[in-house]
C-alpha cells in the first residue's frame, strides 16, 4: 500500500491537468527559492513544514467533505520557532489555516481591540517574510502531490543534509477516488434511510517522502486519541516508513504534552534503537510547547 | 421524518447535559436581548440569521468530521444588509465562520497592508455592535438545538410579526447518532480495505421552526449543484415545510445569481401560488448580490 506504484497510480488517476500544471509551477518556485536562499548562505538550514488538515470531497461539485481536525496552530507556531532559530521555511499549509505570527489573532478581535495589540507580531511577520515560502492546499490529492514535489526538490539539492521535512499536517487516511465520486450534491430525499459512504485508503506517502528526501531528515507526527496505543503506533511507523523522528501526541493534551521518538541505532532491539523524550509544559505557563519541542529538535538535527 | 417527535427524540438522544444547559442559557440571553431592543423601540424589526456550515463528527473524540461547504460569507453580508436597513440581528453562526464587516479581511492581509485598509469597516462594525447578538455553533446537534430555541423565543414574543428567520446556514442532511459513534480515532490499519461510514438522516427542522415562529416569516435557502432540479426542490420544500420565502441558488454561480420564491396565495395551483424573482448581478460589478436580495426581501417582509 505504501509503495511507489500506488502513489504514482494515485497521482495518475486523481490529478487532472490543471493540478499537474500547478504542481510543476510549484516545483519551479521551490527550486528557485531554495537556490535564492542558498545564494545568501550556501549552508542555510531549510525545513519544509506541512500544516493543517486535508479535505476529502464527497461530491465532484463539492457541497460536503470529510475534514481532519486541525486548525494549523501547531504548524504555524513550529514555523515561528524554526524561523527564530535561523531556518528558512517552506510552509505547505491548508488554505485559510492559521499562519505564523498571525495565529493568535482574529479579524474580529483586531476590530474590537485595535491594531496596537498585534504590533510586535506584525514586526516579526515582516522581519521573517523573505525567509518563508508559503504554498497552500485543500484536497488530500493536492497535498500528496505537493509534499512529494517539495520532498523531491529537497532531496535533489546537493545540500539536502542541511534540510528537514516536518510533517505536522493532519492527512486523511480515507478518500473517495474520483471515478467513484458522484457529480452532484447527494440528495437527502434519495436517501431517506440514511447514507452509506464508502471510502478507499489513501496511499501512505511517508516511505516515499523519506526516499525522495535523500539526506534531509524526516520528522512525522502521530496523533491518537487513545493513550494505550500511541507507543505501538509510533514503533510500527518507524518500521514501516523509516522516518528519522516521530512526534507522538494525544488529542486531549496535545498543547501540553508530546513525546519525541528518535531512531538512534539499528540493532533491531526496539528499546535500544529508539530514544524517547517526554516534553511537557505546565498548563498555566506562558511558554508554548512548540518552543521546547523545536529547541530539542533543532539540537538533534544539528547533531546528526 | 419532519415531525415534532423526531426532533424532540433527536434532542433527547443527541444532547448531553452541558449542551442542554447551554441552550437554556442562550434562551435567556436571546429573550433578554429582544426585550432590551424592544425597550428602545417596541416596533423594532428583528431577524435571526443562521450562517456557516454544520459539522458532523465521525468519532466521539473527534479527529474527523463531515463538513458542509460554507464560509459564512452569504450570512455575514446578509447581516450587514439587514443592519443597514434598521434591523436588529440575532446571528447564529458557525464558530470561526466569516463575520459581518470583517469578512473581507484576513489577519495576514491586515499584517501585510496595515490597518488603515479596514478603517471604514471598523467604524461600521463598532456602530452596529449593539444591534447584533452573536451565538455560535459547531456540530449539527448544537445548531438544531439553538435554532429551535431562538425560533421559540421569537414566536413567543408578542411582536413576532416584526420578526423574521433567515436560514442561510448549510445544515448537514446526514449524521452519525451518538450511540452508533466510535469513541476513538478510526484506524487506517484496522481498515486496510477502506472504510464504510453509515449515516442516518438528520430530522428536518424547517416545519418545526415555522410552527414555533408564530407570526415571524421564515426564509429558507435551497442550494443545489444541478440546475435541472432546483425549481422542483424549491416547490417541494414549500409543500413540505410551509415556509414563506425560499431563496434558490446554484453552487456554481451563487455569488451572482439567486431566485427568490415567495408563496403569495394558497390555491393549490403552484404556478399562481408561487412568485419567482430572478436576482442577478453582473460579475464585474462592485455591488454584492446580497444587497439586491435583502433590498427585495425587506420590501416583501414589510408588505405582509
Amino acid at each position: 500500500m505504501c509503495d511507489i506504484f500506488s502513489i504514482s497510480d494515485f497521482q495518475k488517476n486523481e490529478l487532472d491537468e490543471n493540478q499537474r500544471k500547478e504542481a510543476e509551477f510549484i516545483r519551479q518556485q521551490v527550486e528557485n527559492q531554495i537556490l535564492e536562499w542558498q545564494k545568501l548562505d550556501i549552508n542555510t538550514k531549510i525545513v519544509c513544514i506541512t500544516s493543517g488538515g486535508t479535505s476529502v470531497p464527497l461530491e465532484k461539485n463539492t457541497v460536503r467533505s470529510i475534514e481532519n481536525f486541525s486548525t494549523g496552530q501547531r504548524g504555524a507556531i513550529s514555523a515561528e520557532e524554526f524561523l527564530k532559530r535561523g531556518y528558512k521555511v517552506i510552509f505547505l499549509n491548508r488554505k485559510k489555516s492559521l499562519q505564523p505570527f498571525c495565529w493568535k489573532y482574529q479579524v474580529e478581535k483586531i476590530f474590537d481591540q485595535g491594531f496596537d495589540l498585534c504590533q510586535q507580531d506584525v514586526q516579526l511577520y515582516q522581519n521573517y517574510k523573505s525567509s518563508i515560502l508559503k504554498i497552500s492546499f485543500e484536497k488530500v490529492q493536492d497535498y500528496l502531490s505537493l509534499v512529494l514535489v517539495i520532498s523531491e526538490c529537497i532531496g535533489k539539492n546537493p545540500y539536502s543534509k542541511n534540510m528537514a521535512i516536518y510533517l505536522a499536517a493532519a492527512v486523511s487516511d480515507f478518500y473517495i477516488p474520483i471515478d467513484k465520486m458522484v457529480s452532484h450534491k447527494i440528495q437527502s430525499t434519495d436517501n431517506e434511510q440514511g447514507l452509506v459512504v464508502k471510502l478507499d485508503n489513501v496511499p501512505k506517502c511517508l516511505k516515499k517522502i523519506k526516499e525522495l528526501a535523500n539526506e534531509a531528515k524526516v520528522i512525522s507526527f502521530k496523533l491518537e486519541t487513545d493513550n494505550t496505543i500511541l507507543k505501538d503506533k509510533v514503533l510500527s511507523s518507524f518500521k514501516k516508513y523509516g522516518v528519522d523522528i516521530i512526534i507522538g501526541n494525544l488529542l486531549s493534551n496535545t498543547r501540553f504534552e508530546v513525546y519525541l521518538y528518535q531512531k538512534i541505532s539499528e540493532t533491531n532491539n526496539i528499546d535500544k534503537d529508539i530514544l524517547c523524550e517526554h516534553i511537557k509544559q505546565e498548563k498555566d505557563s506562558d511558554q508554548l510547547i512548540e518552543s521546547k519541542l523545536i529547541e530539542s529538535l533543532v539540537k538533534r538535527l544539528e547533531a546528526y
Side-chain angles (χ1 to χ4, degrees), chain A:
Chain A
M1 222 175 46
C2 99
D3 61 19
I4 301 170
F5 301 109
S6 67
I7 289 277
S8 62
D9 280 354
F10 177 83
Q11 291 190 302
K12 199 165 62 193
N13 297 335
E14 294 298 321
L15 300 181
D16 63 27
E17 208 184 314
N18 282 337
Q19 287 168 307
R20 256 180 265 275
K21 274 189 193 157
E22 206 210 329
E24 280 318 301
F25 174 79
I26 284 169
R27 182 192 302 278
Q28 277 303 316
Q29 208 185 359
V30 172
E31 280 175 1
N32 292 344
Q33 183 65 75
I34 291 176
L35 291 178
E36 215 171 282
W37 283 330
Q38 289 180 329
K39 253 190 235 162
L40 300 172
D41 172 9
I42 195 71
N43 288 310
T44 193
K45 307 269 179 203
I46 297 175
V47 62
C48 167
I49 296 176
T50 70
S51 181
T54 61
S55 170
V56 170
L58 301 188
E59 301 123 338
K60 285 180 196 163
N61 292 283
T62 310
V63 174
R64 302 181 183 88
S65 58
I66 297 182
E67 298 287 338
N68 269 48
F69 171 74
S70 172
T71 60
Q73 183 170 321
R74 169 134 298 156
I77 304 175
S78 299
E80 293 179 14
E81 296 295 330
F82 273 109
L83 288 167
K84 287 177 186 168
R85 288 170 180 82
Y87 274 73
K88 306 295 181 193
V89 174
I90 300 165
F91 192 60
L92 179 61
N93 68 101
R94 166 67 184 265
K95 208 187 262 184
K96 293 190 184 157
S97 64
L98 295 176
Q99 299 292 312
F101 307 110
C102 303
W103 61 272
K104 270 178 256 174
Y105 309 99
Q106 288 177 292
V107 174
E108 195 169 3
K109 191 173 161 195
I110 300 176
F111 274 35
D112 259 328
Q113 300 178 29
F115 195 46
D116 286 349
L117 162 90
C118 33
Q119 284 302 357
Q120 210 179 337
D121 283 310
V122 174
Q123 199 53 57
L124 289 167
Y125 173 87
Q126 294 292 352
N127 290 352
Y128 287 113
K129 220 171 153 177
S130 63
S131 300
I132 184 164
L133 172 66
K134 293 186 181 182
I135 296 161
S136 72
F137 63 85
E138 207 154 5
K139 295 182 213 168
V140 66
Q141 287 89 336
D142 292 317
Y143 170 81
L144 284 191
S145 159
L146 296 175
V147 75
L148 292 174
V149 159
I150 297 169
S151 301
E152 202 178 354
C153 293
I154 285 178
K156 280 190 174 167
N157 189 282
Y159 297 86
S160 65
K161 69 173 183 347
N162 296 328
M163 304 184 196
I165 300 174
Y166 177 90
L167 301 160
V171 184
S172 318
D173 291 310
F174 308 102
Y175 80 115
I176 303 183
I178 197 91
D179 57 3
K180 295 185 188 170
M181 208 188 297
V182 297
S183 278
H184 288 295
K185 185 185 174 187
I186 299 163
Q187 294 295 330
S188 63
T189 42
D190 299 341
N191 297 280
E192 296 215 347
Q193 302 310 313
L195 181 70
V196 175
V197 182
K198 293 196 179 104
L199 300 151
D200 283 21
N201 291 80
V202 170
K204 302 285 182 189
C205 62
L206 264 179
K207 196 173 171 187
K208 182 73 183 157
I209 290 173
K210 177 64 190 158
E211 274 173 40
L212 291 169
N214 202 354
E215 288 188 89
K217 298 299 167 204
V218 175
I219 302 115
S220 70
F221 277 75
K222 198 85 205 158
L223 174 76
E224 292 295 338
T225 63
D226 182 355
N227 198 6
T228 61
I229 64 170
L230 180 60
K231 196 180 171 187
D232 285 346
K233 288 272 156 193
V234 167
L235 297 181
S236 110
S237 282
F238 272 117
K239 277 188 220 159
K240 279 194 276 186
Y241 312 123
V243 295
D244 302 290
I245 291 173
I246 298 178
I247 316 295
N249 56 144
L250 289 167
L251 186 65
S252 55
N253 66 2
T254 177
R255 301 261 180 260
F256 309 106
E257 220 172 324
V258 300
Y259 296 86
L260 187 157
Y261 296 89
Q262 182 178 11
K263 194 164 60 189
I264 49 169
S265 58
E266 305 229 31
T267 65
N268 279 325
N269 177 340
I270 207 86
D271 287 322
K272 289 194 184 154
D273 286 348
I274 309 287
L275 165 157
C276 176
E277 182 187 353
H278 182 194
I279 300 174
K280 224 181 145 169
Q281 188 62 45
E282 295 309 314
K283 292 204 182 184
D284 52 1
S285 162
D286 277 348
Q287 221 196 349
L288 297 162
I289 192 156
E290 287 80 3
S291 173
K292 283 189 181 175
L293 169 62
I294 306 300
E295 182 69 34
S296 169
L297 201 53
V298 164
K299 277 191 197 141
R300 290 170 196 281
L301 289 173
E302 278 162 20
Y304 270 107

